[in-house]
Amino acid sequence: MKLSILLESLPIIAKINGGYATVTDKFGKRILTYDSNGNIVKELEGKIYFAAKEAYDRQEPSFGKSEILNQAFAWFLPIDEYVLASSNIERVQRDENLFKALEQALPFIAQVTGGEAVIFDDEGRRLFCVNQHGKAQDEYIGKISTAAQETMQGQRPIIGKSMSVDGAMAVRIPITEKYGIGFNNERSIQQKQKLLDQVTKFQYAHYTFNDIVSQSKVMEQVKEFAKRVAESQSSILLFGPTGTGKELFAQSIHNSSPRRNKPFIAINCGALPPTLIESTLFGYNPGSFTGANRKGKIGLFEKADGGTLFLDEISEMELDMQTKLLRVLQEKEVTRIGGQTTIPVDVRIISSTNKNLQEMVQIGKFREDLFYRLNVVDIKIPSLKEREGDIFLLLEHFIYKFNLIFGKNVTKASPEARKILSSYDWPGNVREFQNCVERIFNVITGDTIIVEHLPPYILNKLNEGTSKKISKTSPKEKLSLEKIVSLAEKEAIKLALERNNNNRAQTAEELGVSTTTLWRKMKEYGLI
């Protein structure tokens, strides 16, 4: 074969092999060498290629390691007075550079994907491993994953269960024939579990009726009624505005019932997607769906067996789930997802809502049969605005509570502050009021709560409500803090007088002032 033909073939051979291609003479001296990009490698001209000389001497094709890069391989083919040789040196170098780049990028991959990230070899053995925070996990190096083995053997991506995080899914991707990468969704699994922990409360109920602070007639009547129905086994529907203490009542009912020594379990139906609610309520068998715990999981109905299951925000449950819930309540048994066996359960249902379920039934957003099943006994929890006289009792309660938490010694609220607190509507009810007092404890320095300690939104709200009364005569006038307090004080006195049928003694007692002071204020504001 002519030398010119051999030399012309070198660029093609180099490109196909991903490395150098060369022709040597019978002594192994390189005549011409090309790289995989079709460039002449001038620095190798005249160099002795000993493996090529050996192939010529034996007059047979051979295969062996590259003399330039130990990890690379080369082949040798004697042709007449020459030897044609080629290696995969550049492919190996590219693979090594890619491997180093992936190794450096592994912490970032883990942080972005939100889970563990690994590099494994052709046997599925872990070479490097970092957690979702980008920290090395050397204790896992050397462990072999069957899924990673299958990935490398088939040279195709595989999605399956994570070997290190229960319930997580992992993807394994071959990068070369020698190594691949994998990562899982550990963070999303942890966040989902955290969400479950937040919306499901296991073990037992903490509160009793003694923890419900009140002295108002309407609230005391509700408490007495709830105590009576607690003794039965009937389903209870608690309804009322947000923040009124529906879960407090649910726990108190449980602790006053014959089931008090059994589990009390609560789930927020509005905080989980439908698929997660179903698996959480009813449980599932191993392998029921992608991402499921490999051991399966017991549902809340089974956990609450013999006790109480509190379905908070039941109005947020979708219709499909309502149907499944109704079946369980009717049959008193559950079937886990992916299972065939029915499991009998003895559970009392207490549900709550801040919406009108009857209206939802009429517009087709809530099942009528489920409504009647849940609404055997209905209890309306009054708003804070309806609880006459409770605002200052709650204030004392929260002052005591936050004194312990903040390490302060707050003893009272000024008359001006008390008047504003009593005249505000509290749309968020007791929860809003508690948050207000906690906010006060973050800013107060002395022992007395004054107007300046109150949240600005309360003063602004009062400003909006009272500014209308002076807008006709002074539309551009800005309300001072003193004027806001005066207007709020006048409204508070008017409301208190109405509540007490104009009985000044009772009104003065409610407002925490003397009858003389009340008379003077009424005269000042033109109320007499």
Side-chain angles (χ1 to χ4, degrees):
M1 180 179 291
K2 291 184 179 181
L3 177 59
S4 60
I5 296 176
L6 291 176
L7 297 179
E8 288 175 1
S9 68
L10 291 181
I12 299 174
I13 296 173
K15 185 174 183 178
I16 292 173
N17 286 350
Y20 292 168
T22 187
V23 172
T24 73
D25 62 16
K26 61 183 180 181
F27 302 108
K29 183 178 179 180
R30 292 178 185 258
I31 299 173
L32 187 62
T33 302
Y34 276 89
D35 64 19
S36 60
N37 294 317
N39 301 315
I40 297 175
V41 185
K42 293 183 179 180
E43 60 268 23
L44 292 179
E45 290 184 13
K47 300 284 186 180
I48 301 298
Y49 203 164
F50 294 99
K53 182 179 184 306
E54 292 176 4
Y56 180 84
D57 292 341
R58 291 194 302 269
Q59 281 296 300
E60 60 182 24
S62 62
F63 177 82
K65 289 189 174 183
S66 166
E67 293 181 358
I68 298 176
L69 184 64
N70 192 45
Q71 294 87 348
F73 290 90
W75 52 261
F76 310 92
L77 180 63
I79 300 175
D80 296 336
E81 297 293 315
Y82 307 100
V83 176
L84 177 64
S86 182
S87 70
N88 64 344
I89 180 172
E90 289 181 297
R91 180 184 298 174
V92 171
Q93 287 176 331
R94 284 194 296 270
D95 288 349
E96 287 187 347
N97 290 337
L98 178 58
F99 185 88
K100 291 178 181 178
L102 285 174
E103 182 184 348
Q104 293 174 350
L106 204 62
F108 304 104
I109 294 174
Q111 292 179 63
V112 170
T113 58
E116 183 185 53
V118 302
I119 298 177
F120 47 82
D121 63 16
D122 54 355
E123 295 181 352
R125 181 181 292 104
R126 293 187 175 203
L127 303 176
F128 297 97
C129 179
V130 297
N131 63 20
Q132 59 174 294
H133 305 294
K135 303 296 183 182
Q137 293 181 299
D138 295 338
E139 65 271 22
Y140 293 118
I141 293 177
K143 290 190 175 183
I144 295 178
S145 163
T146 302
Q149 278 184 330
E150 295 176 2
T151 294
M152 296 306 294
Q153 290 171 0
Q155 284 294 293
R156 59 185 176 85
I158 292 180
I159 297 177
K161 294 180 179 180
S162 169
M163 66 174 286
S164 57
V165 182
D166 194 26
M169 299 298 291
V171 59
R172 289 92 175 179
I173 304 171
I175 302 300
T176 70
E177 294 180 353
K178 291 187 176 182
Y179 63 86
I181 64 170
F183 43 86
N184 63 34
N185 62 339
E186 176 182 355
R187 184 182 299 162
S188 65
I189 293 298
Q190 291 175 339
Q191 290 174 338
K192 184 170 76 172
Q193 187 57 52
K194 184 177 180 181
L195 178 60
L196 280 173
D197 292 341
Q198 289 174 342
V199 299
T200 59
K201 308 174 184 69
F202 306 115
Q203 308 301 331
Y204 55 90
H206 298 276
Y207 300 107
T208 69
F209 286 111
N210 292 331
D211 296 304
I212 301 176
V213 179
S214 70
Q215 63 182 13
S216 63
K217 183 178 179 180
V218 62
M219 195 62 160
E220 289 301 301
Q221 289 175 340
V222 173
K223 286 168 64 173
E224 288 303 315
F225 179 69
K227 289 177 184 178
R228 291 200 303 272
V229 299
E231 296 294 328
S232 75
Q233 302 295 322
S234 300
S235 297
I236 296 176
L237 176 64
L238 303 170
F239 66 97
T242 298
T244 50
K246 293 185 285 294
E247 183 169 349
L248 197 62
F249 267 88
Q251 293 193 22
S252 300
I253 291 170
H254 171 80
N255 280 330
S256 293
S257 75
R259 298 171 179 263
R260 66 178 64 89
N261 295 321
K262 296 294 183 177
F264 173 88
I265 297 178
I267 178 172
N268 188 319
C269 301
L272 295 176
T275 53
L276 201 52
I277 288 182
E278 182 176 4
S279 62
T280 302
L281 284 176
F282 308 140
Y284 56 84
N285 283 348
S288 299
F289 52 86
T290 301
N293 187 310
R294 65 190 69 181
K295 297 179 181 178
K297 194 170 184 179
I298 186 173
L300 298 191
F301 267 95
E302 292 178 68
K303 285 181 178 288
D305 189 34
T308 302
L309 180 60
F310 176 47
L311 302 176
D312 195 13
E313 296 187 32
I314 187 66
S315 57
E316 303 306 311
M317 183 177 287
E318 295 194 0
L319 285 171
D320 181 56
M321 269 305 303
Q322 292 178 29
T323 302
K324 295 175 181 178
L325 175 62
L326 178 64
R327 187 194 65 79
V328 173
L329 298 182
Q330 289 174 334
E331 304 298 331
K332 298 187 184 301
E333 60 186 21
V334 297
T335 303
R336 294 183 183 179
I337 297 175
Q340 302 295 326
T341 305
T342 58
I343 304 168
V345 289
D346 172 24
V347 175
R348 183 186 196 177
I349 299 296
I350 300 178
S351 50
S352 75
T353 179
N354 59 7
K355 296 182 178 179
N356 189 321
L357 288 189
Q358 287 182 310
E359 289 183 357
M360 293 184 68
V361 168
Q362 293 173 1
I363 62 176
K365 289 189 176 181
F366 202 86
R367 288 187 62 109
E368 184 176 19
D369 43 7
L370 178 60
F371 170 71
Y372 290 120
R373 176 72 64 172
L374 296 174
N375 192 36
V376 176
V377 179
D378 62 312
I379 301 177
K380 179 183 182 298
I381 312 300
S383 66
L384 184 54
K385 187 178 180 180
E386 298 174 280
R387 296 168 55 177
E388 296 179 11
D390 280 354
I391 188 74
F392 295 127
L393 186 66
L394 285 166
L395 178 62
E396 293 176 5
H397 171 73
F398 291 135
I399 285 177
Y400 175 78
K401 173 182 177 179
F402 289 118
N403 270 333
L404 296 177
I405 294 175
F406 285 83
K408 294 186 176 183
N409 187 33
V410 178
T411 58
K412 60 184 180 298
S414 70
E416 294 79 12
R418 289 168 64 93
K419 289 164 187 172
I420 291 178
L421 291 174
S422 65
S423 61
Y424 182 65
D425 284 343
W426 300 108
N429 297 291
V430 179
R431 184 183 298 130
E432 181 187 4
F433 184 60
Q434 176 175 303
N435 291 341
C436 169
V437 179
E438 182 175 357
R439 190 266 181 191
I440 289 171
F441 268 76
N442 277 279
V443 299
I444 193 170
T445 54
D447 63 353
T448 303
I449 299 171
I450 60 177
V451 174
E452 286 79 0
H453 297 145
L454 302 181
Y457 76 88
I458 291 179
L459 300 178
N460 291 338
K461 187 70 175 178
L462 291 172
N463 188 345
E464 292 172 7
T466 57
S467 60
K468 296 177 181 178
K469 299 182 179 182
I470 62 170
S471 60
K472 293 182 179 179
T473 56
S474 50
K476 296 183 179 179
E477 180 180 352
K478 293 183 178 179
L479 289 178
S480 66
L481 180 60
E482 181 181 358
K483 186 162 293 185
I484 292 173
V485 172
S486 297
L487 291 169
E489 186 176 58
K490 180 179 179 181
E491 289 301 307
I493 293 173
K494 285 178 63 177
L495 290 172
L497 285 167
E498 291 174 5
R499 286 194 294 268
N500 292 285
N501 297 318
N502 288 316
N503 185 310
R504 295 183 185 179
Q506 292 180 3
T507 301
E509 182 180 358
E510 178 182 325
L511 295 176
V513 297
S514 66
T515 53
T516 303
T517 300
L518 176 62
W519 178 85
R520 179 172 53 81
K521 291 288 186 181
M522 290 173 64
K523 186 175 181 180
E524 178 184 343
Y525 295 132
L527 298 176
I528 54 176

